[in-house]
Amino acid sequence: MKRLLLLMIFAFGFFQAQDVEELQEGFFFSETSKNFFRVDIKKPYDYYKVSSCSDEAQFIRAQFEGGDASFNRELFRYISAYVDKEIYVVNGTFFLHMDIDKAGKVTGLKITPRVDNSEGFLRDLKFAVGKIKKNWTPSKCNNVPVDSRIRIKLNFVTESIDV
């Protein structure tokens, strides 16, 4: 009886973990009963030119703790958790603009473009990004930390099905 109970706990725990997210060919997938949700997080990220750094050879861009792949996993994890796929059917490209200060903290967050009836979706997306707690290594110019700005392209595809 104990073996059967352990087998059931393992089986249900394993299958539930598989449904949360899968990584295939650069796309993140998440499924619910009605919607199939895909987010393509484009790499490399776009870095705005830092006006205070005149020497491009001495500029080092900001890095997320664990690298870009780690940031993508964290971002998708929180998008999956906090953007309700039952309410929003999102198709299209959005840009995430993040300001990173000299200490490596995200100080500004803006999502574009603004489209009709997107306030709730953009609010949830902003909340999801704000839940990421790991720090960034700040950009540096001549080995001195500087404020910087990053733009990340997110392509959303939602397919709805009748159950």
Side-chain angles (χ1 to χ4, degrees):
M1 188 68 165
K2 289 181 183 179
R3 286 184 184 177
L4 180 61
L5 180 63
L6 287 173
L7 180 63
M8 288 177 54
I9 290 171
F10 174 75
F12 288 116
F14 179 72
F15 290 126
Q16 184 180 9
Q18 273 188 331
D19 287 342
V20 175
E21 64 183 62
E22 292 180 23
L23 174 62
Q24 292 180 350
E25 300 178 22
F27 293 101
F28 290 97
F29 298 90
S30 182
E31 295 182 26
T32 63
S33 59
K34 291 183 179 179
N35 293 334
F36 179 83
F37 190 77
R38 182 175 74 194
V39 182
D40 179 17
I41 303 171
K42 297 290 186 182
K43 291 188 297 186
Y45 305 148
D46 298 326
Y47 287 82
Y48 291 89
K49 183 177 174 154
V50 177
S51 59
S52 62
C53 188
S54 59
D55 188 3
E56 291 292 322
Q58 295 297 323
F59 179 75
I60 300 170
R61 72 179 184 92
Q63 296 287 324
F64 185 72
E65 186 179 314
D68 291 350
S70 177
F71 180 76
N72 286 357
R73 281 191 298 278
E74 289 285 312
L75 179 59
F76 180 74
R77 187 174 101 192
Y78 287 111
I79 287 174
S80 295
Y82 294 105
V83 176
D84 191 347
K85 292 165 284 302
E86 294 298 323
I87 296 174
Y88 311 116
V89 178
V90 182
N91 292 301
T93 301
F94 289 85
F95 293 96
L96 179 65
H97 305 268
M98 297 181 354
D99 296 324
I100 300 172
D101 69 8
K102 296 173 186 175
K105 302 276 186 196
V106 176
T107 57
L109 184 61
K110 183 178 169 188
I111 300 167
T112 58
R114 295 271 181 210
V115 294
D116 291 341
N117 301 319
S118 68
E119 295 82 20
F121 167 71
L122 296 177
R123 183 189 63 240
D124 287 354
L125 184 57
K126 196 172 189 177
F127 182 78
V129 173
K131 294 301 267 180
I132 299 173
K133 297 299 177 201
K134 292 182 182 176
N135 286 334
W136 291 74
T137 302
S139 295
K140 293 181 181 179
C141 181
N142 297 321
N143 266 348
V144 177
V146 294
D147 294 338
S148 61
R149 184 170 227 195
I150 299 173
R151 184 179 80 161
I152 301 171
K153 185 176 181 180
L154 306 172
N155 188 22
F156 287 87
V157 177
T158 304
E159 295 179 21
S160 296
I161 58 170
D162 292 331
V163 181

